[in-house]
Amino acid sequence: MLNALEVFTTVVVGVMVGVEFSVAFVMNRILNALPEESGQLGHAHGGRMLGAVMPVWYIGSLVLVAVWVVAGWNHHGTGLVVTAGALLILSVIMSILLLVPINNRNKTWTPENRPADWKQQLNRWERFHYVRVAVIIAAFTLLVAALA
């Protein structure tokens, strides 16, 4: 049963990493290449859509890692899983303090009501997002290593 939990948790976190990596290095580049109004509307829609899904995914991943730690406390690799959990906690804290406030503003913007500095705010979100992606990639890597 522990093996199934380990694999399931690793897959859930890995897919989350893939989505966030895609946002950072694929979707944002596509949206930024569109004409201003279309790109901004795309960012707002993405903020609404992913803003509804990702909190559940992040917290769910953290819960799965916590269950793995408890269930596998005396097993090989627990230290790696604990560290991965700490990194996931860091990613949630970063999200709440740095990314969510910008996303909450962005998802309400339209070409008619967006602030003059909307591009700078989205660029700031992207920089924070790159760091968060690095953090969750590190967490995922530790989970994979703990499986070995």
Side-chain angles (χ1 to χ4, degrees):
M1 187 67 168
L2 179 61
N3 287 344
L5 172 65
E6 293 169 344
V7 170
F8 181 73
T9 302
T10 304
V11 169
V12 167
V13 173
V15 174
M16 180 179 73
V17 166
V19 169
E20 293 290 36
F21 185 90
S22 177
V23 167
F25 296 102
V26 178
M27 294 308 302
N28 282 343
R29 291 174 189 225
I30 291 170
L31 294 172
N32 291 339
L34 293 173
E36 221 173 69
E37 287 189 9
S38 297
Q40 187 266 306
L41 289 170
H43 279 289
H45 180 67
R48 286 187 300 274
M49 190 180 91
L50 291 173
V53 173
M54 296 315 287
V56 175
W57 210 336
Y58 273 80
I59 299 301
S61 295
L62 188 53
V63 168
L64 286 169
V65 168
V67 171
W68 180 350
V69 167
V70 171
W73 187 253
N74 293 320
H75 290 84
H76 171 76
T78 302
L80 296 172
V81 181
V82 169
T83 306
L87 289 172
L88 290 176
I89 290 170
L90 175 61
S91 74
V92 169
I93 292 169
M94 288 177 61
S95 297
I96 292 168
L97 295 179
L98 304 172
L99 290 117
V100 169
I102 298 169
N103 189 60
N104 284 344
R105 290 189 301 271
N106 166 53
K107 66 186 183 182
T108 65
W109 294 338
T110 65
E112 294 78 32
N113 73 359
R114 66 186 180 213
D117 70 338
W118 70 275
K119 285 185 183 180
Q120 291 82 5
Q121 290 190 54
L122 287 181
N123 288 336
R124 185 170 185 223
W125 185 93
E126 287 181 14
R127 288 190 306 272
F128 290 142
H129 184 65
Y130 291 140
V131 175
R132 179 174 61 180
V133 169
V135 168
I136 64 174
I137 287 172
F140 174 67
T141 303
L142 291 170
L143 294 177
V144 171
L147 290 174

